[in-house]
């Protein structure tokens, strides 16, 4: 059997940085209510500004923090077409907390029913204001589509006691309660809660990138090779994470007619190739880090022959 070939995906930002591609989120605390893509986003937010906290994703109350199934049919978070798609059992909201902006004695939950106490400590709005202003600037730019898959945000953009925000869907200013002075609330279109690309677009805004810089961000195709037709010669191929598709060639040349494509896997999977059944022909597969499971196939045109098995543990490569 030919040796197993595994290549780790990268995200290329031309001229800017080199970062690991988003893997399936590890340690999702509530996969029944939070998609892996949503948990990955929360982890990215916390890494973007060290010291910030997860203020909450799924909460059993009306609105985007709850699932579509958990809301009344007339709730504003489930009425529009954008919110009728996607899984009905997943949250579509994120609270990103900035403790230095809280400025109160104790740690008051954004979802607490307790009255907000009088301010007792000095506050620092510099971090939350930086990200809030980037969201506002993107929202007001008619040529910036990065927040088109988001419903709204609330936060603190200056140094007063008023909450600033924006309704991206209806292109208008919005505001909310005073707990948003210390945490940024983000509501995502429900039909995008499984989308990593929608969350990458938001992160581009929060990082302060320009639209042109964001357009140049591309998920790097992951190279892979194998003897796809059993003729004894390895030929090339790539796995494209953005659409979970293999593009393989039967010859090592630039002839586009030799390319055949094959959908297999999911975002965050690691592609592999090997002769799984000793028929002299390599076929593809993926390893999914989130559940330590291998998904292998004996064909390159159909998933009819897919087989899967668990092997490994979190962190294995």
């Amino acid at each position: 059997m030919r040796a197993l070939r595994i290549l780790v995906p990268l995200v290329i930002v031309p001229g800017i940085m080199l970062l690991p591609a988003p893997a399936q989120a590890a340690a999702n605390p509530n996969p029944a209510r939070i998609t892996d893509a949503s948990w990955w986003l929360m982890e990215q937010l916390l890494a973007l500004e060290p010291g910030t906290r997860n203020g909450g994703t799924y909460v059993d109350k009306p609105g985007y923090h709850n699932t579509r199934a958990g809301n009344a049919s007339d709730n504003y978070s489930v009425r529009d077409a954008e919110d009728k798609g996607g899984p009905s059992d997943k949250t579509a909201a994120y609270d990103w907390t900035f403790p230095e902006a809280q400025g109160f004695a104790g740690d008051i939950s954004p979802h607490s029913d307790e009255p907000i106490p009088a301010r007792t400590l000095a506050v620092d709005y510099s971090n939350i204001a930086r990200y809030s202003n980037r969201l506002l600037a993107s929202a007001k730019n008619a040529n910036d589509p990065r927040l088109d898959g988001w419903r709204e945000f609330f936060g603190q953009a200056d140094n007063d006691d008023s909450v600033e925000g924006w309704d991206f869907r209806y292109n208008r200013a919005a505001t909310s309660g005073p707990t948003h002075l210390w945490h940024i609330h983000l509501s995502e279109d429900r039909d995008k809660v499984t989308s990593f690309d929608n969350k990458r677009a938001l992160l581009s805004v929060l990082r302060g990138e320009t639209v042109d810089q964001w357009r140049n961000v591309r998920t790097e195709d992951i190279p892979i090779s194998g003897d796809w037709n059993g003729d004894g010669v390895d030929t090339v191929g790539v796995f494209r994470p953005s659409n979970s598709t293999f593009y393989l060639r039967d010859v090592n040349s630039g002839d586009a007619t030799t390319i055949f494509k094959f959908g297999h896997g999911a975002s965050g999977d690691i592609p592999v190739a090997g002769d799984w059944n000793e028929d002299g022909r390599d076929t593809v597969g993926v390893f999914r880090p989130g559940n330590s499971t291998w998904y292998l196939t004996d064909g390159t045109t159909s998933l009819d022959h897919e087989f899967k098995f668990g092997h490994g543990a979190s962190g294995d490569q």
Side-chain angles (χ1 to χ4, degrees), residues 16-17 48 96 130-135 137-138 144 146 200-214:
I16 304 175
M17 64 185 72
L48 182 61
W96 185 22
R130 180 169 65 257
Y131 295 110
S132 294
N133 277 298
R134 287 173 180 173
L135 291 167
S138 174
D144 187 346
R146 289 176 289 178
R200 291 189 193 100
L202 170 76
L203 289 168
S204 173
V205 173
L206 293 172
R207 285 194 297 263
E209 296 174 359
T210 66
V211 176
D212 287 342
Q213 287 173 326
W214 168 70

Side-chain angles (χ1 to χ4, degrees), residues 146-161:
R146 289 176 289 178
L147 298 175
D148 288 353
W150 294 82
R151 173 61 196 269
E152 64 196 358
F153 100 92
F154 306 114
Q156 167 65 296
D158 44 36
N159 198 37
D160 59 16
D161 290 329

Side-chain angles (χ1 to χ4, degrees), residues 126-189:
S126 58
N127 287 327
I128 190 173
R130 180 169 65 257
Y131 295 110
S132 294
N133 277 298
R134 287 173 180 173
L135 291 167
L136 284 173
S138 174
K140 294 177 181 180
N141 182 354
N143 297 314
D144 187 346
R146 289 176 289 178
L147 298 175
D148 288 353
W150 294 82
R151 173 61 196 269
E152 64 196 358
F153 100 92
F154 306 114
Q156 167 65 296
D158 44 36
N159 198 37
D160 59 16
D161 290 329
S162 298
V163 171
E164 287 76 41
W166 199 265
D167 186 327
F168 305 121
R169 188 175 299 165
Y170 293 100
N171 194 31
R172 61 194 182 194
T175 189
S176 189
T179 60
H180 298 96
L181 293 173
W182 66 75
H183 80 268
I184 290 177
H185 168 90
L186 295 153
S187 297
E188 187 171 20
D189 291 355

Side-chain angles (χ1 to χ4, degrees), residues 206-244:
L206 293 172
R207 285 194 297 263
E209 296 174 359
T210 66
V211 176
D212 287 342
Q213 287 173 326
W214 168 70
R215 291 189 191 282
N216 285 331
V217 175
R218 59 188 177 89
T219 302
E220 179 80 341
D221 286 348
I222 303 168
I224 195 168
S225 65
D227 180 4
W228 314 124
N229 58 8
D231 65 358
V233 178
D234 281 359
T235 50
V236 299
V238 297
F239 176 69
R240 187 162 298 164
S242 58
N243 60 2
S244 303

Side-chain angles (χ1 to χ4, degrees), residues 235-237 248-260:
T235 50
V236 299
L248 309 177
R249 287 184 182 271
D250 265 348
V251 297
N252 291 315
S253 74
D255 183 0
T257 62
T258 65
I259 296 177
F260 55 103

